[in-house]
């Protein structure tokens, strides 16, 4: 099924060769920092050092005191309000937990997402990554429920502007199966309130597919799994 993806995580990343450092946590991380192994330890919440949960813009401002996050305050706090209703937590974590080039990751099992501290100190970049990873949470919701590890695209693929389709194709050329979901997330990441609006629907009593017309294959999936009667 082209528009439903079984996944444990999707991340906004730039493909750069990594050079892992020696293993710092015996028994938890076997391949060192800056690896998928380290990221997995963080996602499973077995590694919590230098991983800070943020609930609002004021807490982000405390982490980056030399920046002014007022410019994204309204949008981020709106997204955070939806996250609170959905039980999704947002963390800013040390870059050591991410493969080199990864800016953020949404974990479809725990429904939490993590931002790489090295990339999100500037407000507009912070907001872009929050929107991107938050869109994956909305895609999770579109697949029926946050209580599974499936993602469904929300819009027909041809609705995504060409520039974001091209960017996703260039970034994920080594993982083409992820492109339908990622090009949507690239678009959302650079469009004010697209993610905030989708998450408001996800957190409401209205199912996503009653607000966003599902694609034919998503509708077939929802009917098959008794989300649509």
């Amino acid at each position: 099924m082209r528009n439903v993806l079984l996944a444990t995580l999707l991340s906004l990343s730039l493909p750069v060769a990594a050079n892992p450092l020696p293993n710092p946590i015996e028994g938890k991380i076997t391949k060192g920092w800056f690896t998928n192994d380290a990221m997995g330890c963080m996602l499973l919440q077995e590694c919590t050092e230098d991983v800070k949960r943020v609930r609002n813009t004021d807490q982000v401002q405390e982490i980056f005191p030399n920046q002014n996050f007022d410019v994204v305050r309204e949008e981020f706090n709106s997204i955070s309000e939806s996250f609170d209703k959905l039980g999704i937590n947002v963390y800013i974590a040390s870059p050591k937990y991410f493969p080199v080039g990864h800016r953020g990751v949404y974990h479809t099992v725990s429904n939490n997402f993590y931002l790489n501290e090295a990339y999100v100190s500037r407000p507009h970049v912070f907001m872009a990554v929050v929107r991107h990873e938050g869109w994956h949470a909305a895609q999770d919701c579109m697949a029926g429920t946050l209580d599974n590890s499936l993602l469904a695209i929300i819009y027909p693929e041809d609705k995504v502007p060409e520039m974001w389709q091209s960017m996703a194709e260039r970034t994920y050329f080594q993982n083409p199966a992820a492109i339908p979901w990622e090009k949507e997330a690239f678009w959302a990441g650079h469009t004010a309130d697209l993610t905030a609006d989708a998450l408001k629907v996800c957190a409401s009593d209205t199912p996503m597919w009653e607000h966003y017309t599902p694609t034919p294959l998503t509708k077939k999936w929802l009917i098959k799994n008794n989300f649509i009667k």
Side-chain angles (χ1 to χ4, degrees), residues 18 24 27-28 34 37-38 40 49 74 104 108 126 132 155 203:
K28 292 185 178 180
F34 306 104
D37 189 42
E49 181 183 61
E74 183 176 354
T108 62
F126 168 82
H132 184 112
Y155 289 107

Side-chain angles (χ1 to χ4, degrees), residues 4-7 106 108 136-137 139-152 181 221 225 227:
V4 175
L5 173 67
L6 178 62
Y106 172 68
T108 62
H136 288 317
Q139 290 173 329
D140 198 348
C141 199
M142 189 68 172
T145 173
L146 291 178
D147 294 330
N148 62 31
S149 58
L150 298 172
L151 304 179
W181 296 267
W221 162 265
N225 289 274
F227 292 109

Side-chain angles (χ1 to χ4, degrees), residues 52-54 56-67 69 73 92 117:
K52 312 173 191 74
R53 183 181 175 189
V54 291
N56 52 54
T57 314
D58 290 337
Q59 293 178 334
V60 179
Q61 185 75 68
E62 290 176 6
I63 297 173
F64 306 111
N66 295 325
Q67 298 287 339
F69 281 83
R73 181 178 299 275
I92 295 178
E117 187 173 2

Side-chain angles (χ1 to χ4, degrees), residues 63-101:
I63 297 173
F64 306 111
N66 295 325
Q67 298 287 339
N68 183 359
F69 281 83
D70 286 345
V71 294
V72 300
R73 181 178 299 275
E74 183 176 354
E75 186 174 3
F76 179 64
N77 288 351
S78 172
I79 289 174
S80 293
E81 184 177 341
S82 295
F83 282 157
D84 285 342
K85 293 177 181 177
L86 294 166
I88 295 173
N89 299 328
V90 181
Y91 299 89
I92 295 178
S94 167
K96 65 189 178 185
Y97 291 113
F98 298 85
V100 175

